Amino acid sequence: MKVDATALSSKIKEMFPEIGQSGVTLTVTAMPDMNAWEIRLAKGKHEMSVSLGFQDAENCLGGRECTAFASEVGQFVHSYCRHSKECAVGS
């Protein structure tokens, strides 16, 4: 399965709806030299990024294994939301 930034962004927003609900900007960019995607969250002056391996993203979007994906991105989203206080986590 070929993963693109749009599909990956949609999956992240589906798994972590607090991103869209709080006006946080999500940017997903391929970093082929690192064999990874850069996932960037931003709102106002606060901005953070994390990388996610191509294989982890492909496995998750292909419906095989989302554990690493959910763990890596989930910790990042929750850290961003807690430390910058830009989005409410949970419902």
Side-chain angles (χ1 to χ4, degrees), residues 59-72:
N59 287 345
C60 187
L61 269 64
R64 290 184 297 277
E65 174 68 49
C66 278
T67 306
F69 180 98
S71 176
E72 183 97 18

Side-chain angles (χ1 to χ4, degrees), residues 34-52:
M34 296 181 67
N35 208 22
W37 292 96
E38 178 187 45
I39 299 166
R40 183 171 298 277
L41 298 177
K43 185 175 180 185
K45 294 186 246 179
H46 300 107
E47 186 172 305
M48 290 177 71
S49 68
V50 67
S51 64
L52 178 68

